Amino acid sequence: MIVDSKNKRNKVTNMTELNLEIARLKSLQKDQELFLKNQFVLLKHKVEAPARIANLLLDRVPGVGMLKGLVQGIGKATSKNTKGDWLTKTLQVGLPLVLNKTLLKNAGWLKKGLVLLASESAASNVNQDNVSSWIGKLTDIIKPKKKKKKEKLQEPVIGEVINPAPPHHPPMITAEESVQDNIYGIPKDSEAY
């Protein structure tokens, strides 16, 4: 095996050297992955340090825990429906605007905030399927019901053939007639007869 000093690569000349080089590279890959994983954990720990310190200080202030829970609840209520259809998204944006311009024109900021939060969570429950089912029920109520005409079933006349054979079809025979005069019981229409 020849070692290239510039690239630190081994020049492989036979199969055993190739297998050794593959094993060395796999070992090197695992070492590098472990190193990068440890570096990522250390970096993440350093980045989160200011937030941990702030949380430690804020936990000592009375009433902050309640405020933090309220803010997290509002965040969950507003971001829970990210897969809404176009109607849901339009209502979530448009309903607060309409309420601010009409009903909540002279309301205080607390009342506006609570009503807008409630309207946004209510709009997230409305989707195209709900609206189309409501419209369907409404049209079923409004539409006059049509009376169905009952057609009388005609009874067959005695002697009339109910299922006539199609034209140019050989005459129909019963199973007994097909094996008559045949000692083996093979029908006359079969290929073996």
Side-chain angles (χ1 to χ4, degrees):
M1 184 182 307
I2 301 170
V3 178
D4 186 8
S5 61
K6 290 181 185 176
N7 297 329
K8 304 232 180 200
R9 292 174 48 188
N10 298 334
K11 299 221 177 179
V12 178
T13 57
N14 59 25
M15 190 63 146
T16 56
E17 290 177 359
L18 177 65
N19 289 335
L20 287 172
E21 182 66 15
I22 290 172
R24 184 187 72 80
L25 290 175
K26 284 185 179 179
S27 172
L28 182 65
Q29 177 188 6
K30 287 180 183 176
D31 291 342
Q32 288 176 349
E33 285 176 355
L34 183 64
F35 175 76
L36 288 174
K37 187 176 181 180
N38 289 337
Q39 291 298 315
F40 177 74
V41 169
L42 288 173
L43 179 66
K44 185 177 175 184
H45 186 71
K46 282 184 180 181
V47 169
E48 291 174 347
R52 281 195 318 273
I53 294 170
N55 286 335
L56 184 69
L57 292 174
L58 288 176
D59 286 342
R60 300 195 185 268
V61 177
V64 173
M66 181 180 70
L67 184 62
K68 190 189 291 184
L70 180 65
V71 170
Q72 287 176 348
I74 291 171
K76 286 179 185 176
T78 57
S79 67
K80 72 178 178 183
N81 191 5
T82 57
K83 297 180 185 177
D85 54 5
W86 65 270
L87 181 63
T88 305
K89 291 178 182 177
T90 304
L91 283 175
Q92 283 179 336
V93 172
L95 195 58
L97 294 174
V98 170
L99 287 175
N100 274 338
K101 297 293 181 185
T102 57
L103 298 176
L104 302 175
K105 198 174 206 175
N106 298 325
W109 64 271
L110 182 61
K111 193 183 284 185
K112 278 185 180 182
L114 292 175
V115 170
L116 294 178
L117 179 64
S119 70
E120 193 170 316
S121 61
S124 66
N125 292 328
V126 176
N127 59 19
Q128 281 181 314
D129 296 332
N130 290 346
V131 173
S132 63
S133 69
W134 293 339
I135 291 172
K137 289 177 184 177
L138 185 63
T139 55
D140 287 343
I141 293 171
I142 294 173
K143 265 198 261 181
K145 295 185 179 182
K146 296 180 181 177
K147 294 182 180 177
K148 295 181 180 178
K149 295 180 181 178
K150 294 183 179 178
E151 295 181 15
K152 294 181 182 178
L153 295 175
Q154 295 179 353
E155 294 183 22
V157 179
I158 299 175
E160 180 182 358
V161 178
I162 297 175
N163 292 328
H168 308 294
H169 190 271
M172 304 271 250
I173 57 172
T174 63
E176 291 85 21
E177 292 174 343
S178 70
V179 293
Q180 185 178 3
D181 300 330
N182 188 340
I183 57 172
Y184 300 110
I186 300 172
K188 292 179 182 176
D189 298 336
S190 72
E191 295 175 7
Y193 185 73

